[in-house]
Amino acid sequence: MFDFTYQTNFKTMIKVENVSKVFKITKKLKKELNTREDSVKALDNVNFECKPGRIFSLLGPNGAGKTTLLRMIATILKPSSGSITVEGLSTLTQDQLVRQKIGFITGSTGLYERLTPDELIKYFADLYGIERTVFERRKKELYEILHINGFANKRIGQLSSGSKQKVSLVRTMIHDPQVVIFDEPTAGLDVIAAKNIIELIKQCKNQQKTIIFSSHIMSEVDLLCDDLAIIHKGVLLYNNTMEDFRQQMKTKNLTEEFIYIVENHKN
Amino acid sequence: MKNIIIIIKKEIKDLLRDRRTLMTMIIIPIMVFPIIFSIMGKVTSNQIKKETEKSLTIGFNDNGNANQLRQLFENRPDIKIIKYPKLVKFDTLIQSGKLDGAIMISDNFDSNIGTMRTGQIAMLYKSANWGVKERLMGVMDKYKNTMMDERLAKLSIQRPAIDPVEIKVQDVSSQREKLGKTIGGYIPYIFIIFGFMGCVFPAIDLFTNEKEKGTLETLLVTPVKRIEILFGKMTVVSVIGSISAVLSIIGFSFGLKQFANSLPKDVLGSLLNFIEPGNIAMLVVMLVPLIVFFAGILTLITTYAKSYKEAQSFVSPMSFIVIVPAVIGTIPGVELNVKTALIPIVNISLAAKDIIAGTINYSLYGMVLASLLLYACIAVLVAVKWFSKETNIIKS
């Protein structure tokens, strides 16, 4: 079975404090966006915390700043101001250590199509510096859970999108990350492939991992989420438990409530 | 360093599974010259053979003069004389291919010859037809010398009396030097272009494609440093570009040997001199920083591009920028000196030309190497700075 033995003494795994992100707009982009602005504020003074064993959902319409925020947690982008820590480690000054603790998965599988799943997983395991015996054990466990053995030596380019998604999941989980970031992971996937993701998120929660899950699909959020943050135009409009959100709802369902919050912010 | 090696191994394995890389890196550089040379060799030798063995049909309008000359022509088995009693449009007949050439003797030719004056002969030929002029002039020179000897005998004059100075001209250039300075310029042109072309596809695949497909992002979330990712990928681009350039030289050498039968032995020997290990080593030592320079520049372009198509459209004008200085090296008269040794691409082209000609100045060679290393370092530093900027490498 999946051996997630992670335990932590930290009450807060991820801490986002006063984070803002400003992107400079290049001349090329100015033309594309038909704007005269020199910069755009993608995130504006965002604060939240994520705890182990809980699923934190980041909900927002397209272009709200969800991916920018998740990329900053994963150290791919740097905040323009504010700070982010993962298990007490700064994403700015201890980025390599932070990345060792993180698994990041998106809707696009991001796989090397000319490699086989075996070769790809070995490549990432080597980059994470996983010991051979640990790697073999984890690979065996993940392959069994996700039924990868049947196509482990086929070129990834020849696999179905569902199989590719499974390989992508193994790549994300091979180093047994304490934090798993899912950035709209089911976007563009069929029902079966999406189900694999949902199952994995649930398993991660059972293993006391910290999960951040971004989506604009309400049903997924409703199904999985413990804590909810609603983001719109770079501003955090709501940040509390899902239970609290349900209790405070002024409309009939989650979708309407989400639209109500976003529309209200516009006005 | 460990991570760089892991990335290099993976990228090479990945690229070698791609047909486009194999085509640009191995098949085209190694095959193109043997194919070109074998076709060129066969066509040229067939053409020369055909032209030299061909019987020439020559129009002859003598107005009843120059019997001796006509007989000399008629005695030649490879020349067929057609007599024209009247002047016709010989140029039209030659252009249409009915005649290979024409000889026209002036009305007063015999009387002029008889009275020790100059007889007039007009010769028409088509220079596009190889060897016609030489064969006709051979006959006429023989006639002219006979006439000259007869006149000198009549006048009791020895030849040196009318030929007071004998000039002996000696070209001290070795055959290798002459060839090096003429066709030698094309050899560096070949490996510069193939070196660049060899870098283009891996650079697009490792930077633009990875950015476009999101695989670069998966690498960026591993504990590997960005600089390690960049160096791993740039090393692979440089290695593949270098392999492509070296294979083009091997292909060129192999093709030259194939072409050997249709070349004079001394010419072939001189051409093959550049294949000596010492010359090859000197070329390769220059090639490495040049390819790293290409890899650095291509890293900037291919990371800036958002898609494969956009990368190709950026790289196309870049090819032109590489070709122009490479072509400068082929221009006769452009020499390696303190100034040209500092111009990238032009310097390697000129230095390679001198290496092939065996006339390389080692101080200038050192300058070329130093400047190439400097440009390579600048390109790498700019690439590092460029790659560290998040907006350049993250798909928006």
Side-chain angles (χ1 to χ4, degrees):
Chain A
M1 262 308 286
F2 226 132
D3 182 27
F4 290 124
T5 52
Y6 169 70
Q7 294 292 326
T8 181
N9 297 321
F10 286 84
K11 280 189 177 176
T12 299
M13 178 58 87
I14 298 169
K15 198 167 186 178
V16 176
E17 285 181 297
N18 308 317
V19 165
S20 296
K21 180 70 183 174
V22 177
F23 286 112
K24 281 185 183 170
I25 305 178
T26 59
K27 283 182 184 175
K28 192 181 168 190
L29 204 60
K30 273 185 189 178
K31 277 185 184 174
E32 282 175 20
L33 300 173
N34 196 22
T35 179
R36 287 182 181 180
E37 298 292 324
D38 292 324
S39 61
V40 60
K41 201 163 197 178
L43 290 171
D44 189 5
N45 204 34
V46 173
N47 291 277
F48 66 83
E49 290 180 359
C50 303
K51 295 182 176 72
R54 292 183 72 82
I55 299 174
F56 181 93
S57 277
L58 198 57
L59 189 66
N62 289 335
K66 301 189 293 293
T67 300
T68 301
L69 187 53
L70 297 183
R71 281 174 172 172
M72 284 198 287
I73 296 169
T75 78
I76 302 172
L77 296 177
K78 287 176 182 168
S80 303
S81 62
S83 68
I84 301 171
T85 54
V86 176
E87 205 178 17
L89 299 166
S90 164
T91 56
L92 276 175
T93 55
Q94 295 161 299
D95 56 327
Q96 273 184 281
L97 293 172
V98 169
R99 288 198 294 273
Q100 194 76 50
K101 296 176 184 297
I102 285 178
F104 190 91
I105 191 160
T106 65
S108 82
T109 51
L111 301 172
Y112 296 100
E113 305 228 319
R114 296 189 289 263
L115 296 184
T116 65
D118 261 357
E119 289 166 343
L120 181 104
I121 302 306
K122 177 77 172 66
Y123 175 51
F124 277 88
D126 288 342
L127 292 178
Y128 278 106
I130 303 170
E131 276 181 29
R132 192 182 172 84
T133 49
V134 176
F135 162 68
E136 292 297 342
R137 179 173 55 81
R138 282 203 56 77
K139 190 179 97 168
K140 195 181 168 198
E141 288 166 359
L142 290 164
Y143 273 27
E144 276 174 14
I145 289 166
L146 293 161
H147 307 289
I148 283 179
N149 288 313
F151 54 84
N153 291 309
K154 275 188 181 175
R155 295 264 177 101
I156 291 169
Q158 297 168 350
L159 304 180
S160 67
S161 57
S163 300
K164 283 180 185 173
Q165 187 63 38
K166 287 178 181 178
V167 177
S168 180
L169 290 174
V170 178
R171 182 202 54 209
T172 307
M173 303 304 294
I174 192 70
H175 59 297
D176 195 8
Q178 295 159 18
V179 175
V180 193
I181 300 170
F182 296 86
D183 184 14
E184 300 197 0
T186 58
L189 293 183
D190 62 36
V191 182
I192 298 167
K195 191 175 165 258
N196 285 326
I197 303 274
I198 303 294
E199 286 304 312
L200 183 80
I201 293 171
K202 285 178 180 172
Q203 280 189 350
C204 289
K205 184 187 171 181
N206 293 338
Q207 303 302 324
Q208 291 298 301
K209 291 179 186 294
T210 306
I211 300 131
I212 304 187
F213 171 72
S214 94
S215 180
H216 58 266
I217 303 167
M218 259 309 183
S219 58
E220 281 180 356
V221 173
D222 196 20
L223 180 74
L224 296 166
C225 168
D226 298 310
D227 300 306
L228 175 70
I230 295 176
I231 189 168
H232 180 52
K233 291 184 176 175
V235 179
L236 214 58
L237 303 180
Y238 180 86
N239 179 20
N240 212 325
T241 63
M242 192 65 197
E243 204 180 328
D244 187 63
F245 184 76
R246 285 194 189 96
Q247 282 173 3
Q248 289 180 19
M249 270 171 50
K250 291 170 184 167
T251 57
K252 290 176 194 170
N253 58 50
L254 289 174
T255 307
E256 281 187 21
E257 188 65 18
F258 168 65
I259 293 167
Y260 170 78
I261 292 171
V262 169
E263 291 288 323
N264 203 34
H265 175 249
K266 268 186 188 173
N267 296 331
Chain B
M1 193 64 192
K2 188 187 160 197
N3 287 332
I4 295 175
I5 293 166
I6 293 169
I7 292 169
I8 291 171
K9 279 184 184 172
K10 176 262 160 191
E11 299 296 8
I12 287 179
K13 183 191 276 185
D14 194 13
L15 281 169
L16 288 178
R17 288 181 181 171
D18 185 77
R19 285 179 194 167
R20 285 173 296 186
T21 309
L22 290 176
M23 282 296 284
T24 53
M25 184 181 86
I26 299 172
I27 298 171
I28 293 175
I30 207 151
M31 294 296 287
V32 73
F33 292 110
I35 291 170
I36 289 174
F37 282 136
S38 64
I39 293 170
M40 211 168 78
K42 275 186 184 168
V43 170
T44 312
S45 60
N46 284 347
Q47 199 59 27
I48 291 171
K49 199 178 170 191
K50 199 176 147 190
E51 292 291 340
T52 48
E53 286 176 359
K54 184 189 169 188
S55 176
L56 299 179
T57 307
I58 304 298
F60 209 87
N61 171 248
D62 58 9
N63 295 306
N65 292 293
N67 279 338
Q68 203 180 338
L69 176 64
R70 197 184 64 244
Q71 273 172 10
L72 282 174
F73 275 116
E74 284 172 344
N75 288 342
R76 286 281 295 257
D78 59 331
I79 297 175
K80 186 186 167 193
I81 290 292
I82 299 176
K83 281 179 133 189
Y84 286 84
K86 286 182 182 175
L87 265 179
V88 292
K89 285 194 169 177
F90 281 121
D91 52 350
T92 315
L93 291 170
I94 294 168
Q95 283 290 355
S96 66
K98 286 176 184 167
L99 291 176
D100 294 304
I103 303 289
M104 292 172 288
I105 311 290
S106 65
D107 289 345
N108 53 1
F109 184 84
D110 280 354
S111 66
N112 281 354
I113 293 291
T115 54
M116 293 228 183
R117 280 180 288 176
T118 305
Q120 307 281 337
I121 300 172
M123 183 182 89
L124 273 74
Y125 78 105
K126 204 171 156 183
S127 62
N129 292 343
W130 192 84
V132 174
K133 182 189 171 189
E134 288 72 19
R135 282 157 80 182
L136 296 183
M137 282 306 290
V139 176
M140 287 192 287
D141 282 342
K142 193 178 172 187
Y143 173 73
K144 196 176 162 184
N145 280 330
T146 310
M147 288 296 106
M148 177 71 88
D149 288 343
E150 277 179 16
R151 284 186 181 187
L152 291 174
K154 269 187 191 174
L155 296 168
S156 305
I157 298 171
Q158 297 294 313
R159 260 209 187 245
I162 57 157
D163 206 1
V165 180
E166 188 185 15
I167 303 167
K168 279 188 178 173
V169 179
Q170 194 184 352
D171 183 357
V172 294
S173 303
S174 64
Q175 187 73 330
R176 177 184 173 185
E177 202 176 332
K178 282 187 275 184
L179 287 164
K181 292 286 181 189
T182 50
I183 69 159
Y186 293 96
I187 296 166
Y189 172 80
I190 290 160
F191 69 72
I192 288 169
I193 299 301
F194 274 98
F196 177 73
M197 279 168 55
C199 288
V200 168
F201 180 72
I204 293 177
D205 195 54
L206 299 190
F207 293 106
T208 315
N209 268 2
E210 288 221 21
K211 188 175 157 185
E212 193 180 4
K213 291 179 179 171
T215 46
L216 186 59
E217 202 169 318
T218 64
L219 264 185
L220 294 171
V221 292
T222 64
V224 181
K225 289 178 187 167
R226 276 185 197 181
I227 198 166
E228 291 176 322
I229 297 172
L230 175 69
F231 282 173
K233 287 177 180 289
M234 271 183 69
T235 306
V236 173
V237 173
S238 305
V239 165
I240 291 185
S242 303
I243 290 173
S244 180
V246 170
L247 287 180
S248 73
I249 298 174
I250 293 170
F252 183 84
S253 317
F254 182 70
L256 210 57
K257 284 179 182 171
Q258 291 256 308
F259 188 46
N261 294 338
S262 53
L263 278 176
K265 275 186 181 175
D266 54 342
V267 174
L268 178 73
S270 306
L271 274 175
L272 293 180
N273 265 335
F274 99 91
I275 308 169
E276 284 172 4
N279 289 341
I280 297 286
M282 285 176 85
L283 291 179
V284 171
V285 168
M286 289 193 297
L287 198 66
V288 173
L290 178 79
I291 300 290
V292 173
F293 172 70
F294 285 155
I297 302 287
L298 285 167
T299 300
L300 303 183
I301 296 171
T302 52
T303 45
Y304 180 72
K306 283 181 182 170
S307 65
Y308 186 88
K309 275 187 180 178
E310 197 176 75
Q312 279 187 317
S313 68
F314 290 157
V315 168
S316 301
M318 168 86 185
S319 316
F320 187 71
I321 293 167
V322 172
I323 288 169
V324 170
V327 168
I328 290 172
T330 66
I331 299 171
V334 181
E335 299 289 338
L336 184 66
N337 54 42
V338 177
K339 284 181 185 169
T340 53
L342 301 175
I343 306 169
I345 306 174
V346 173
N347 55 7
I348 189 168
S349 182
L350 294 172
K353 195 161 86 170
D354 283 352
I355 290 169
I356 292 159
T359 57
I360 186 73
N361 174 321
Y362 288 95
S363 308
L364 290 174
Y365 177 75
M367 274 184 76
V368 171
L369 263 185
S371 69
L372 285 169
L373 281 168
L374 180 70
Y375 291 124
C377 289
I378 292 169
V380 171
L381 286 174
V382 174
V384 169
K385 197 168 181 189
W386 184 263
F387 202 74
S388 64
K389 201 175 170 191
E390 56 192 27
T391 47
N392 289 333
I393 53 170
I394 307 294
K395 193 180 166 188
S396 58

